[in-house]
Amino acid sequence: MSVVLSIWSFFQNNILTKPAFFVGLIVLLGYVLLRRPFYQAIAGFIKATVGYMILNVASGGLVNNFRPILAGLNQRFNLNAVVIDPYFGQAAAQAAVENIGRSFTLMVQVLLVAFLWNLLLVFLRRLTKVRTVFITGHIMVQQSSTALWIILMCFPTLNDPGVVAMLGLLLGTYWAVSSNMTVGPTQELSDGAGFAVGHQQMFGVWLTDLIAPKIGGKNRKSLEDLKLPGFLSILNENIVSTSLLMVIFFGIIIAILGPETMHTLDSSFAASQNFGFYIIEKSFTFTVYLQILQLGVRLFVGELTESFQGISEKMLPGAMPAIDCAATYGFGHPNAVTLGFLFGALGQFIAIGGLILFRSPIFIITGFVPVFFDNATFAVFANKKGGVKAVFAIPLVSGILQVLGGAFAAMYFGLSQFGGWHGNFDWDTVWPIFGVLMNNAKYIGVGIIMIFLLAIPQLQYYFGKYRKENYFKVAEDYESVKPAEE
């Protein structure tokens, strides 16, 4: 018994308590199960572990770089400033979890249980009607982090195994069901490319596919008929669009705070530095850390995705991978991405103005990831089904919902004091509802959510566009069920 306890203690202290090593171990095991050469499995372990460490550095840098700005808003205007962005949300969730004395390493255990549950739901797909395996690794990490805090807040006395088991089943069901909802829309958009969306706005993609035709009408015009000024094409560059957005948004905030306040709060602001260049530097630093973060994501997500996808293909023939929403951009009009970002940002700014006008206790700061990736994705799908009107309207409304839902969620779940909230569409709409239900109805609420989620693929199977005999064909043999008008 003492040997077993010693082994468990070693595993807990050196792997379970070190998320980077735990993610690396998952990749290692995945490659071993796939019978890859051992040297390749070791290389995957190293890249996944180092990549996760880089992601941690970048996440911490994002928060630390803008902490003086948040502190300045709080100090001068008595505002609780919250950045609606998944990386800020992940950092805030980690701080909240550790603040109550719980281990944040539970997040990685939840991720593993959720993924295995997703696999089981697909394995039983003839019964569950679930066809998709969620394999977007960095999104799994972010969602596991935020959901962990929600569960701990709603069930503060639940022990660690109970938290891992309950949240693993809940989150795995969400991944499986919500990505499954995007199968039809994504196959139609990509003309049967064989993937679904596994990201942060899957309910939003389904809603976009549903309402875009109603907005566009019968005589809709697509973006192919719309000509934009050439200078707007620079916003397709991630570095440029991020930097410009941050210069404008943070520039306004820092200018309002003034150089005296920033000198007091930020030791990196040298007395000899010009205030304008200080604003540019702080704004560009956001882009720098985002690029570092993306480097880490590429390192560990590439390995995680490959090992997960290989396992799913080997164990689950015919299953469809659910991947990053950016994969859809190559199947839409190039201007859809730009316009989705612009109208999403406009919607967010309108909602932020409303918060200020009505003296909201929560002040929202735009996060680039939700305002760009959510709304660019919606615009790509909207143009396919609803044309120009849908491209304008859906991201605009989405931006408003992101801010208002994010403000409510940050306040309700107590993450406003830690400066961040997840910020993406599903986490500003669906998950706050889940959280309120669990916080008030407790375990009954969890049961209601599970029944609701598991009922969705059944409804798709019996009443959806691709029903019964065509339901699995749309994923496996799209050509045989492809709509005639396409």
Side-chain angles (χ1 to χ4, degrees):
M1 178 62 73
S2 61
V3 175
V4 174
L5 291 176
S6 297
I7 294 174
W8 171 252
S9 178
F10 175 85
F11 183 75
Q12 182 180 31
N13 293 331
N14 295 280
I15 297 177
L16 283 181
T17 57
K18 305 290 184 181
F21 285 105
F22 195 56
V23 169
L25 181 63
I26 294 173
V27 171
L28 177 65
L29 291 176
Y31 282 139
V32 169
L33 290 173
L34 290 171
R35 298 181 180 180
R36 296 290 177 85
F38 189 67
Y39 65 85
Q40 187 176 357
I42 292 296
F45 167 80
I46 293 173
K47 287 191 283 186
T49 303
V50 172
Y52 196 95
M53 290 178 173
I54 293 174
L55 183 146
N56 280 339
V57 170
S59 296
L62 287 169
V63 175
N64 293 331
N65 185 61
F66 293 109
R67 183 168 288 145
I69 301 172
L70 302 180
L73 288 168
N74 220 357
Q75 175 181 304
R76 185 162 180 179
F77 301 106
N78 195 29
L79 290 171
N80 290 318
V82 176
V83 182
I84 48 172
D85 184 274
Y87 295 105
F88 280 89
Q90 180 181 341
Q94 180 172 352
V97 169
E98 294 173 347
N99 186 59
I100 62 172
R102 303 295 287 266
S103 174
F104 191 64
T105 58
L106 292 174
M107 173 271 295
V108 183
Q109 300 172 50
V110 166
L111 186 154
L112 180 59
V113 172
F115 176 70
L116 293 175
W117 178 244
N118 186 173
L119 288 179
L120 181 60
L121 290 174
V122 177
F123 181 75
L124 300 173
R125 63 197 185 114
R126 294 296 171 182
L127 175 65
T128 64
K129 308 299 185 290
V130 172
R131 301 159 292 184
T132 49
V133 179
F134 196 110
I135 60 171
T136 316
H138 64 296
I139 303 301
M140 298 164 78
V141 171
Q142 293 166 4
Q143 296 183 358
S144 298
S145 303
T146 302
L148 175 61
W149 169 247
I150 293 175
I151 290 295
L152 291 176
M153 190 203 82
C154 296
F155 304 93
T157 62
L158 187 61
N159 59 26
D160 288 356
V163 169
V164 172
M166 184 170 70
L167 180 54
L169 296 180
L170 177 60
L171 194 60
T173 304
Y174 164 72
W175 288 344
V177 170
S178 56
S179 60
N180 188 73
M181 295 169 68
T182 72
V183 169
T186 307
Q187 287 289 76
E188 291 177 1
L189 174 72
S190 65
D191 196 25
F195 68 91
V197 174
H199 208 256
Q200 312 266 31
Q201 60 296 101
M202 297 171 289
F203 272 83
V205 168
W206 179 82
L207 281 171
T208 297
D209 184 72
L210 179 68
I211 66 176
K214 297 177 175 59
I215 295 174
K218 293 183 179 180
N219 298 319
R220 59 179 178 267
K221 293 183 178 180
S222 69
L223 287 176
E224 285 74 12
D225 304 315
L226 184 67
K227 304 298 181 182
L228 289 176
F231 72 90
L232 284 178
S233 63
I234 66 171
L235 294 175
N236 287 321
E237 293 288 339
N238 193 334
I239 292 176
V240 175
S241 58
T242 302
S243 300
L244 288 176
L245 177 63
M246 291 302 107
V247 167
I248 294 171
F249 195 81
F250 281 107
I252 293 172
I253 295 173
I254 296 175
I256 292 173
L257 293 176
E260 294 79 12
T261 300
M262 297 313 301
H263 274 301
T264 302
L265 295 172
D266 189 358
S267 59
S268 68
F269 186 11
S272 59
Q273 186 177 17
N274 178 269
F275 187 49
F277 276 93
Y278 167 77
I279 292 174
I280 294 174
E281 181 184 24
K282 296 297 286 185
S283 303
F284 282 11
T285 301
F286 180 95
T287 307
V288 171
Y289 279 120
L290 188 60
Q291 294 303 307
I292 295 172
L293 184 149
Q294 290 173 345
L295 169 62
V297 165
R298 283 193 295 270
L299 276 175
F300 94 87
V301 171
E303 300 300 324
L304 196 62
T305 299
E306 185 175 351
S307 63
F308 277 3
Q309 188 169 358
I311 293 171
S312 66
E313 287 178 350
K314 186 173 182 179
M315 296 173 58
L316 306 167
M320 175 177 284
I323 61 177
D324 197 301
C325 64
T328 64
Y329 298 167
F331 297 95
H333 191 280
N335 285 334
V337 173
T338 301
L339 288 172
F341 164 66
L342 289 176
F343 279 88
L346 176 61
Q348 286 205 3
F349 293 147
I350 290 172
I352 290 170
L355 293 180
I356 296 173
L357 180 64
F358 291 100
R359 299 182 180 181
S360 168
I362 302 294
F363 181 76
I364 293 297
I365 295 176
T366 294
F368 174 76
V369 173
V371 77
F372 181 83
F373 288 100
D374 283 3
N375 298 305
T377 301
F378 295 156
V380 170
F381 283 94
N383 184 54
K384 175 70 176 179
K385 290 295 185 69
V388 174
K389 290 181 180 179
V391 170
F392 294 167
I394 292 176
L396 179 71
V397 174
S398 168
I400 295 172
L401 291 175
Q402 286 172 325
V403 169
L404 298 183
F408 168 79
M411 180 173 61
Y412 186 83
F413 297 119
L415 291 182
S416 58
Q417 61 181 305
F418 299 100
W421 172 250
H422 206 97
N424 290 94
F425 185 86
D426 281 8
W427 294 81
D428 294 328
T429 53
V430 178
W431 273 92
I433 296 173
F434 289 173
V436 171
L437 190 58
M438 288 188 292
N439 196 36
N440 289 278
K442 301 303 179 184
Y443 294 104
I444 294 176
V446 176
I448 292 172
I449 295 168
M450 290 290 289
I451 292 172
F452 165 74
L453 288 174
L454 291 172
I456 290 175
Q458 302 294 333
L459 294 173
Q460 287 183 288
Y461 179 79
Y462 287 105
F463 304 105
K465 180 177 181 179
Y466 300 98
R467 65 190 68 176
K468 294 187 178 180
E469 66 273 7
N470 293 331
Y471 183 77
F472 291 105
K473 286 183 180 179
V474 70
E476 300 170 8
D477 184 17
Y478 179 69
E479 285 298 321
S480 67
V481 297
K482 182 177 178 180
E485 65 271 17
E486 295 186 5

